[in-house]
Amino acid sequence: MATGILSDLNEAQCEAVTTAADVVQVLAPPGSGKTKTLTARVAYLLAERRLKPWNIIVCTFTVKAANEMKERITKFVGHECAKQLKLGTFHSVALRYLKQYGQHIGLGKDFGIADSSDSKAIVKRIIKKNDYSIDAGGARGRISTQKAKGIDNEQFSRKAKNVEQQEFARIYQEYEETLKASNLLDYDDLLLRCCLLLRTEPACVSNVEALLIDEYQDTNNIQYDLMGLFAQHRNVITIVGDPDQSIYGFRSAEIKNLTRMKQQWPDTLTINLEENYRSSGAILHAAQHIIEQDESRPPKKLQATHTYGQRPVLRKLPSAAAEADWLVAELKRIQALSGDLLQPNDFAVLLRSAALSRAIETALGREGVPYRMIGGLRFFDRAEVKLLVDYLRVVDAPGNNEAVERIINVPPRRVGEGTVKGLHEEARLKGVSLWSLVLDVVQGRCKPTTKVTPATQTGLAKFVDVILSAQKKLASVAAENHLKRKFPDEYEARWTNVEELLAQTIEASDPQRLIAMVDDGALPSIEGLERRTESVSENALSLFLANVTLATAGAEKTEQDGEKAQQLTISTIHGAKGLEWPVVFIPACYDGSIPHSRADDNDEERRLLYVGMTRAQALLYLSTPLRNSQREEASMSTFLAQPGVASFFEEHGPSIAAADVRALAKTLRRDCPSDDAIAESKKTLERDEDNYWPLTGEEPFEERAKWDHSKSGNAAWSFRDTRPVAVFS
Ligand code: ATP
Ligand code: MG
């Protein structure tokens, strides 16, 4: 047996890892070791059953989760073996099959991917052009829902009854035509086309010996189909999941897929795991209480293996700014009390929506606490990076009308919006791409019906020039000059981002390296850009761009250096699925945020809170401002305002004595700092007391932290509120 695959697994986990059953379902609560079991099974199949890594498909939902799984597997079987697994998000695995075998369904290798902003822009334009009354965001979501259900535009069109549905059917149809004309696939298409491919050409997956899926509760119908198709030759499937953590209903995830699987494969072996290895008893107790508010849910056993520990904190603060200040002060306090056992890496701030991060980011920035964001505003969303990516897209595949439209007048080339729209429409009618029409106009092969002034003609010529020459040497020059003009002060910082991206692009010139990057779902930053001057091969660039788009969808920036650097994590709760941290803060727990005002399934919102709470290992903080970011009154989330909930929480952060630090070190399997070191780091708190909690000055509220030596000789912590805020009113 490869070292230690089974050594720290319990009996039920061992059974799931080693069973000879073909189809296995592990349904179990958070922290019970499902992912650990799944990765151990992969290692077991490789080491004991001697399956070849390239014949094993492992799917999960986020890029970050995929990376963590890969890391865990690598520990057992080594990097060389692990990197050959087909492991990634559903979308990235589908992408690989499409790039490799897409020709069987008439797909060239050069297709691009429309990211969510591309898709939305296309829908918006269609709506505007036809003067429809439908909301663009809503229509885009609806297209995605139809696709997720496997209903294409023709099917929808046939069934459309009323005027509203017929209008939507036309948008859907035109959207599909636009994608086709630009040689683009959207995210849903990746999965749909992969299904089509595997149906048309089953031989593509004839070598697949095992399929394993994490977070199965969040699969939708297409992913279910894809699962069957990946495994069509052997039906060897292991899935792990937890119905209580189903949080993607809003994206058509089907919890029914659990029972559907058992109907399709009646011999499915079901294994339950009942021990929680992640969280303290107190955290589990509180989380359990929240999820049990859903009375339709069957009761489940869940046993804590850790001690009861500190009760989670539930706190009200006067404003979002005060909440952020409190959070950062508490973080520093806990770090100091733990004798620096807890470092920024151990803390996560989980948010219902990315838009809530601003106050937290400001407070962290002011206090100099380094942080990384996952599932929020990402590297590839930054304006300067997006611009360069668009240039690269056009260089790579000029048929991408959406990208052409975005950059044709950036930097300004006197090509007005009206002209671009006119040319675009003209191109559409002619059945050619915007780029090829522009090229014809510039090179005198065609006289457009759209009015093109001499100044515009010059501008278009400049654009064509840039792209043609950039096709030889990438698109850095135009972007750099534009950035210099547009952001004179921040130019350097922004250009660093561009360089980082460029470095990655150049790294992508090595196809082997690129495939590894695609597999990793990560695009590492590379130092020493100057030293690397090789040009990028065409195919590598197109794969790279596909992966950029997926990395954006996968919702995160994976920072290569960040792995080592100490940084707090800010994430959406959705993006934190499957992950864990010693200390978790969930701010902005107010009605309208969680449950979200636009969510239509309250039970799903509750499960979301449950997912967030169960990410915490040792300490958990929930809080709400009494005014939201728009300064409107906010009240505590209904999930937390239920009778009885308060008894599971404390108002104040815990006073952590030396004995607590020792217990914490044991739980986290780390060396405990000496008592002297703990005492020393506590002193920094006393010294900083006066400046400890900078207030924004905007609130009449003043809350100062103060040492309270009165308690049992231990320096315990308490807060003196000059205007106390009721916590459980
Ligand atoms: P989630 O539902 O949140 O994804 P999960 O069921 O996948 O949770 P894991 O992430 O696999 O849970 O495990 C949670 C933690 O418990 C991890 O730190 C893991 O290493 C630890 N763990 C799991 N099983 C055991 C075990 N048998 N002994 C010791 N630690 C374990
Ligand atoms: Mg997991």
Side-chain angles (χ1 to χ4, degrees), residues 357-399:
S357 72
R358 206 181 48 88
I360 308 280
E361 284 190 76
T362 311
L364 290 169
R366 193 176 46 224
E367 291 297 298
V369 180
Y371 62 91
R372 70 169 77 91
M373 297 191 65
I374 60 175
L377 181 65
R378 288 150 329 237
F379 183 67
F380 293 111
D381 285 344
R382 293 180 200 159
E384 64 280 12
V385 176
K386 252 181 137 26
L387 173 70
L388 187 74
V389 168
D390 275 335
Y391 265 97
L392 290 174
R393 279 182 173 149
V394 174
V395 169
D396 175 47

Side-chain angles (χ1 to χ4, degrees), residues 6-11 13 26 28-39 68 72 214-215 217 240-242 245 273 275-279 305-306 576-580 611 614-615 617 669:
L6 303 177
S7 62
D8 59 349
L9 299 180
N10 66 31
E11 211 174 299
Q13 291 172 332
V26 179
S32 57
K34 294 182 298 295
T35 304
K36 188 180 170 89
T37 302
L38 196 77
T39 46
E68 297 219 338
R72 292 196 202 185
D214 198 0
E215 308 277 0
Q217 74 280 355
V240 307
D242 175 11
Q245 295 185 68
L273 308 175
E275 285 160 302
N276 177 295
Y277 293 92
R278 175 182 293 145
S279 309
T305 59
H306 292 300
K577 203 165 81 146
L579 308 179
E580 61 190 16
V611 168
T614 52
R615 299 307 95 203
Q617 292 171 283
R669 295 188 184 146

Side-chain angles (χ1 to χ4, degrees), residues 676-688:
D676 285 351
I678 297 174
E680 192 54 37
S681 75
K682 275 182 180 173
K683 277 196 199 140
T684 61
L685 275 183
E686 268 174 295
R687 213 174 29 241
D688 291 349

Side-chain angles (χ1 to χ4, degrees), residues 251-264:
R251 281 209 201 138
S252 315
E254 290 282 351
I255 195 74
K256 287 192 211 92
N257 284 345
L258 285 165
T259 39
R260 209 173 149 194
M261 191 173 165
K262 280 195 172 165
Q263 286 156 2
Q264 187 168 351

Side-chain angles (χ1 to χ4, degrees), residues 45 51 55-58 207-212 234 236-237:
L45 294 175
L51 302 195
N55 294 341
I56 300 180
I57 300 180
V58 190
N207 64 330
V208 174
E209 294 183 297
L211 168 67
L212 301 98
R234 287 195 184 74
V236 179
I237 306 175

Side-chain angles (χ1 to χ4, degrees), residues 492-522:
E492 291 236 329
R494 283 173 185 266
W495 186 245
T496 312
N497 283 335
V498 173
E499 278 190 334
E500 191 172 331
L501 180 67
L502 208 54
Q504 291 167 4
T505 316
I506 289 166
E507 187 76 352
S509 61
D510 170 359
Q512 266 328 99
R513 174 82 197 112
L514 182 78
I515 287 165
M517 280 158 67
V518 172
D519 288 351
D520 287 342

